[in-house]
Amino acid sequence: MLGRRTFRDEEQARAREWFEETLRAARDVHTIGERRASEGILLALDRWFIHRVRSVAGEDTNPLTELVLVVEAILADGVLREQPPIMYDRARSVLASPVGQHLTLTFDDVERLGGAFLDAIAERYSEPR
């Protein structure tokens, strides 16, 4: 599949609905532990928009690029690392995690980063009206 520069409003709405329902259910259940559930939610949220074009997301620190770094950390050893060409600035990030730190994600982290990510998708990837 080629990279996408836009996502339909319906796709964004379905992803947001899924995200909010999954987060609510995870907060209620706690069956696999908050950290692993949090990681799973962010991995799955990233997958909804996996074909997003990186040039639209930008290279600066924003929720779109921060999720890329968080997902890379989850899939590796859990340590947040710089990933060129993304220029990570902790002060501008949602989670304010320092590079080199092991991530221990909470549901509150997921809510903040996931919500900001979905808002950024709506801002940068919506189809022209």
Side-chain angles (χ1 to χ4, degrees):
M1 166 160 284
L2 297 177
R4 296 179 62 181
R5 293 184 180 277
T6 63
F7 293 94
R8 293 187 317 279
D9 290 344
E10 303 81 42
E11 291 174 294
Q12 294 179 45
R14 282 195 319 269
R16 186 175 295 274
E17 179 182 1
W18 171 88
F19 170 73
E20 291 171 356
E21 284 180 19
T22 302
L23 182 58
R24 269 193 308 277
R27 284 183 190 274
D28 291 342
V29 176
H30 279 86
T31 57
I32 60 170
E34 184 172 15
R35 184 177 132 236
R36 289 294 184 208
S38 296
E39 291 173 351
I41 292 168
L42 289 178
L43 288 169
L45 180 60
D46 180 67
R47 185 74 187 150
W48 277 85
F49 302 100
I50 194 71
H51 296 293
R52 62 190 180 272
V53 173
R54 285 252 179 131
S55 63
V56 177
E59 296 176 358
D60 62 323
T61 302
N62 64 67
L64 301 166
T65 58
E66 186 172 358
L67 186 60
V68 169
L69 299 179
V70 168
V71 164
E72 290 296 324
I74 292 167
L75 295 176
D77 58 1
V79 175
L80 186 70
R81 291 190 170 78
E82 292 180 339
Q83 300 276 331
I86 297 171
M87 295 171 282
Y88 181 72
D89 177 358
R90 179 180 177 192
R92 296 187 60 211
S93 69
V94 175
L95 299 180
S97 300
V99 169
Q101 176 181 315
H102 191 275
L103 296 175
T104 304
L105 298 167
T106 66
F107 292 136
D108 289 337
D109 294 336
V110 171
E111 185 172 30
R112 288 188 352 261
L113 182 55
F117 173 82
L118 288 166
D119 290 344
I121 287 285
E123 178 186 318
R124 295 187 188 204
Y125 288 89
S126 287
E127 294 180 318
R129 297 189 188 251

